[in-house]
Amino acid sequence: SAVISQKPSRDICQRGTSLTIQCQVDSQVTMMFWYRQQPGQSLTLIATANQGSEATYESGFVIDKFPISRPNLTFSTLTVSNMSPEDSSIYLCSVGAGTNTGELFFGEGSRLTVL
Amino acid sequence: QQQVKQSPQSLIVQKGGISIINCAYENTAFDYFPWYQQFPGKGPALLIAIRPDVSEKKEGRFTISFNKSAKQFSLHIMDSQPGDSATYFCAAAGGSNYKLTFGKGTLLTVNP
């Protein structure tokens, strides 16, 4: 299994500002993903963070709103830009156990509240 | 279009009882079916998973039953304990796009 650390664990932000969430993994991983979990809801995949290239975004999510960096195989950042109250969610970093296994490990999440 | 349908949305069980959560999927390319357990303030953690070559998998008090023809799978928690109180998510993956699709979750409460 992988140990995934996310920062910040929680934050309260003002409307219109941006916040960057960091994800650090204790080992090199190929597959790294960012999920959103709105209050009381399921997990929705935002994007796949690709090392050395642009992230792959799911339908409904765009790079301008959720820019992602992946400078190496152990680290990634997700920025939530120009935040509104609708962006209040838990943002989860996850890594795959291997290619095409489907098994994911999750960080503890970053809980964002936008006022 | 929701590809994995989970029910019930919430479930209350007495200590020692059996908790049953059901999921149904649509995409016949799915070939990996995990269950995740999430406690408040924590990220989801893999609980148990099954592939369609078997109809049942058991790990301790947790069992997955899988019905390929009906495209359904379920989680059974035997001798449910208050410590099992959590949100449970079923998921599925497979095909050329091997990304997990999650159900909407079931909030399980086990009363002492």
Side-chain angles (χ1 to χ4, degrees):
Chain A
S1 65
V3 176
I4 304 168
S5 302
Q6 280 188 240
K7 291 181 181 179
S9 58
R10 58 178 62 232
D11 207 339
I12 299 173
C13 307
Q14 296 299 317
R15 180 196 298 261
T17 62
S18 299
L19 182 78
T20 296
I21 303 167
Q22 299 180 0
C23 177
Q24 180 74 53
V25 188
D26 69 341
S27 59
Q28 294 186 341
V29 293
T30 302
M31 310 295 287
M32 186 177 277
F33 308 93
W34 286 98
Y35 282 83
R36 181 174 73 183
Q37 185 176 23
Q38 294 176 306
Q41 300 297 314
S42 186
L43 292 85
T44 302
L45 180 63
I46 298 172
T48 302
N50 301 308
Q51 194 269 328
S53 64
E54 196 170 280
T56 305
Y57 290 84
E58 298 298 309
S59 176
F61 297 96
V62 295
I63 187 171
D64 290 345
K65 177 66 175 178
F66 298 101
I68 289 172
S69 77
R70 178 103 190 259
N72 56 53
L73 293 175
T74 64
F75 186 79
S76 178
T77 66
L78 168 74
T79 299
V80 185
S81 303
N82 188 25
M83 287 185 286
S84 67
E86 292 72 35
D87 295 320
S88 297
S89 286
I90 300 172
Y91 292 86
L92 293 153
C93 173
S94 72
V95 301
T99 304
N100 287 348
T101 68
E103 183 176 351
L104 294 181
F105 301 108
F106 285 87
E108 297 205 335
S110 299
R111 182 183 294 270
L112 265 54
T113 301
V114 184
L115 303 178
Chain B
Q1 180 185 8
Q2 183 187 355
Q3 295 192 51
V4 179
K5 295 183 179 180
Q6 183 172 347
S7 62
Q9 186 174 357
S10 62
L11 179 63
I12 299 175
V13 174
Q14 292 300 117
K15 178 181 177 180
I18 302 174
S19 303
I20 301 175
I21 305 171
N22 301 299
C23 282
Y25 63 97
E26 300 168 1
N27 188 342
T28 56
F30 287 153
D31 62 2
Y32 175 71
F33 304 91
W35 285 89
Y36 281 80
Q37 180 187 55
Q38 184 178 31
F39 293 106
K42 302 292 186 181
L46 179 64
L47 185 62
I48 186 172
I50 196 169
R51 293 192 183 272
D53 53 340
V54 296
S55 60
E56 185 175 282
K57 183 175 182 180
K58 183 177 180 179
E59 291 184 1
R61 297 185 293 108
F62 300 91
T63 300
I64 298 179
S65 297
F66 182 78
N67 186 328
K68 187 174 181 178
S69 61
K71 292 187 287 185
Q72 295 176 347
F73 58 109
S74 60
L75 175 69
H76 296 233
I77 305 175
M78 311 299 289
D79 187 25
S80 298
Q81 300 296 312
D84 296 330
S85 297
T87 300
Y88 292 81
F89 293 96
C90 64
S96 59
N97 181 6
Y98 224 91
K99 298 175 186 175
L100 281 177
T101 299
F102 286 87
K104 290 193 173 183
T106 297
L107 178 61
L108 171 66
T109 302
V110 181
N111 289 328

